Amino acid sequence: CYRDSILFSVLLEGPLSPDDPRLLAYVKESMLLAPGSGMYELKMDVPENRAYNNYLSHLGFPVLKKLIKTIFDDQPPGFFIEAGALDGEYLSNTLYLEREKAWKGLLIEPDSKMFSFLLKKNRRAWSSNCCLAKDLYPKKEMLMTLSNTRYSSYGFGYRAMNTLASSPYAAMSSAVAHADYVPVQCFPLQSLLLALDVTHVDFISLDVEGLEEDIVEKFLEYSYGIEVDVWLVEHKNSHSNVEETDYVFINRFTSRGYSLYTITQDFSPYNYIFIRNSSKAPLPSQETFGI
């Protein structure tokens, strides 16, 4: 009834348990879009898009792509999560797995403009225009969207630094680009997966601009029966004034049955890769990558 719908809209702002049946039904019906089925519409397939495709050779992307191939090329198709999916192509850590290895997955992007571009790519993954909650319940937040209006109306590089106004990255990000603020609904990662009936995730790529510590901690502490084999997390050490290895962050994973695979340190923030000890994913020597 109407009164119930008003009450539920209030509950969406928190607190509401991640596995509440009403929440899962809402997420499934209103926040998840089914995978595409037509031809891919990717800029990388058009030679004239040289400026856009520069990401293929800089920002450390080739290193990450090599790591992903090394870990998963000999594995059967799995299920991925990419949080901070942007337009579904630019610096995507999952497009290769989906397109070349027939993986399924979920793309999460809170920026509505970037999400509109994502939908045009016709990715074969579920997609959701929301943010991941820092808390163990859904919550309304303010998303700080960035752009450099001198160069373009969307600015993929700047949009890649979007973050919540409550993030420790917010002050730093707003100093380098024009910032706009829009309300966004956030959900626990557990809720999105339970709504999809997914209890095993082979790979999570987490690029959430300063929110990763809270998201990781809440998920590892309260997994609701969901197993994750491999995490790739962009993370800046919040315990130091200079960029250096964050051993506190590493311990969050190693104390819960994961091993550190490697850290990419050729660009900032660093990218940390963790593999669950009981998973089937291989754990080759880190010397392979000079770490």
Side-chain angles (χ1 to χ4, degrees), residues 123-151:
R123 291 281 304 261
R124 307 297 195 273
W126 290 88
S127 56
S128 185
N129 183 202
C130 70
C131 69
L132 292 183
K134 301 182 298 177
D135 303 290
L136 204 60
Y137 49 83
K139 186 178 182 181
K140 284 285 182 67
E141 295 267 12
M142 293 301 294
L143 177 69
M144 185 176 72
T145 62
L146 302 173
S147 62
N148 186 332
T149 55
R150 292 181 301 166
Y151 298 112

Side-chain angles (χ1 to χ4, degrees), residues 176-227:
V176 299
H178 173 74
D180 291 309
Y181 296 85
V182 295
V184 62
Q185 179 68 57
C186 303
F187 296 96
L189 176 57
Q190 297 92 321
S191 299
L192 293 166
L193 290 169
L194 292 174
L196 286 171
D197 294 321
V198 172
T199 57
H200 184 94
V201 180
D202 297 271
F203 176 49
I204 290 183
S205 173
L206 197 62
D207 184 355
V208 289
E209 302 300 313
L211 306 172
E212 64 280 352
E213 288 193 77
D214 289 328
I215 292 170
V216 164
E217 180 63 26
K218 293 299 188 299
F219 188 90
L220 294 180
E221 184 69 21
Y222 306 97
S223 66
Y224 285 82
I226 301 169
E227 290 184 335

Side-chain angles (χ1 to χ4, degrees), residues 61-72 261 288-289:
F61 182 73
V63 175
L64 293 180
K65 187 173 182 179
K66 178 181 178 181
L67 287 165
I68 292 167
K69 282 187 173 183
T70 300
I71 295 171
F72 295 116
Y261 176 57
T288 304
F289 305 100

Side-chain angles (χ1 to χ4, degrees), residues 63-114:
V63 175
L64 293 180
K65 187 173 182 179
K66 178 181 178 181
L67 287 165
I68 292 167
K69 282 187 173 183
T70 300
I71 295 171
F72 295 116
D73 262 4
D74 293 331
Q75 301 297 311
F79 190 92
F80 64 75
I81 299 287
E82 184 160 17
L86 209 60
D87 72 331
E89 180 179 0
Y90 186 79
L91 299 178
S92 174
N93 291 325
T94 62
L95 180 57
Y96 166 77
L97 295 173
E98 175 190 310
R99 196 181 191 192
E100 305 297 332
K101 307 297 289 184
W103 281 49
K104 305 299 182 183
L106 170 63
L107 303 167
I108 303 169
E109 175 53 50
D111 183 342
S112 59
K113 179 170 284 189
M114 289 296 101

